[in-house]
Amino acid sequence: MPAPILLTGFQPFDGESSNPSWEAVAALDGSRLDGRRVVALQLPVVFGQSLRVLAKALERFRPALALCVGQAGGRSRISLERVAINLQDARIPDNAGRQPLDEPIEARGPAAYFARLPLKACLAALGEAGIPAEISHTAGTYVCNHVFYGLMHALRARRAVRAGFMHIPYSPAQAVRHPGAPSLPVELATAAVRLTVETALARQTDLRLRGGSEC
Ligand code: PCA
């Protein structure tokens, strides 16, 4: 049996009743991509606990690729995150009421990790499929960045494992409560996850394409 693919999404937070990141990856749970089994896991929006759940799953499943997905309400496109920083600075409390301010995630860890995904090739694949996407250079300083950093830190010695983070916009159902906010159908977010995984498994090296940004 080839090593599986691990996908994660989050529980709802900040007063929402759903989180499209979980809906998007749950739709792929138990399916096969590139001949590999897909395991989808829901993470709590809680500093520390989210990473303990993730670490257990990385040990149990030993995936060939791990892609964590989170909701980024207000963003208009799929964000392929390039960099996780060693900082937690919560604007709002997490689902357990914790609100770390200006703390490192790993006291002895490096300042940042880069995603280990061919981001430009993924961006091109999403564009060809008609899914609006961008490369993002910040995953914020809340639980998503915490999980992204913890993922890359946990896999720092397992260089062959591909790993990264994707932020997705509100679902249309959420946007009903946020007038003016952009949204993306969950089916398109699921398609974006699938395409990103397939592209990452198919390519060891990235394409040289434009995808950077000014401030
Ligand atoms: N988004 C939050 C945490 C959970 C989620 O889906 C974030 O961007 O940090």
Side-chain angles (χ1 to χ4, degrees), residues 177-207:
R177 292 180 47 243
H178 298 282
S183 65
L184 187 83
V186 172
E187 299 73 40
L188 280 187
T190 298
V193 169
R194 190 190 306 115
L195 270 173
T196 299
V197 169
E198 285 170 347
T199 304
L201 289 173
R203 301 192 64 94
Q204 281 306 312
T205 53
D206 205 353
L207 296 173

Side-chain angles (χ1 to χ4, degrees), residues 10-11 13 19 21 45 69-72 139 142-145 165 167:
F10 283 100
Q11 287 174 349
F13 71 107
N19 189 323
S21 67
V45 183
V69 183
Q71 164 203 316
Y142 193 52
V143 179
C144 285
N145 175 72
F165 197 97
H167 262 124

Side-chain angles (χ1 to χ4, degrees), residues 12-27:
F13 71 107
D14 197 19
E16 299 290 333
S17 55
S18 62
N19 189 323
S21 67
W22 171 241
E23 296 170 319
V25 300

Side-chain angles (χ1 to χ4, degrees), residues 97-116:
R98 288 191 208 120
Q99 191 168 11
L101 300 177
D102 301 334
E103 292 173 12
I105 298 164
E106 281 289 335
R108 300 161 78 88
Y113 287 105
F114 287 121
R116 295 209 304 251

Side-chain angles (χ1 to χ4, degrees), residues 82-169:
R82 201 201 293 255
V83 55
I85 59 172
N86 191 6
L87 175 70
Q88 41 199 18
D89 191 14
R91 184 183 60 80
I92 52 172
D94 68 15
N95 284 357
R98 288 191 208 120
Q99 191 168 11
L101 300 177
D102 301 334
E103 292 173 12
I105 298 164
E106 281 289 335
R108 300 161 78 88
Y113 287 105
F114 287 121
R116 295 209 304 251
L117 297 175
L119 294 181
K120 300 284 180 70
C122 293
L123 184 65
L126 295 177
E128 275 160 31
I131 303 174
E134 66 192 351
I135 291 178
S136 160
H137 296 93
T138 176
T141 55
Y142 193 52
V143 179
C144 285
N145 175 72
H146 175 84
V147 161
F148 183 17
Y149 185 92
L151 169 73
M152 303 314 296
H153 190 71
L155 294 175
R156 66 194 181 285
R158 286 191 239 164
R159 300 293 305 173
V161 181
R162 318 230 83 195
F165 197 97
M166 175 189 285
H167 262 124
I168 64 175

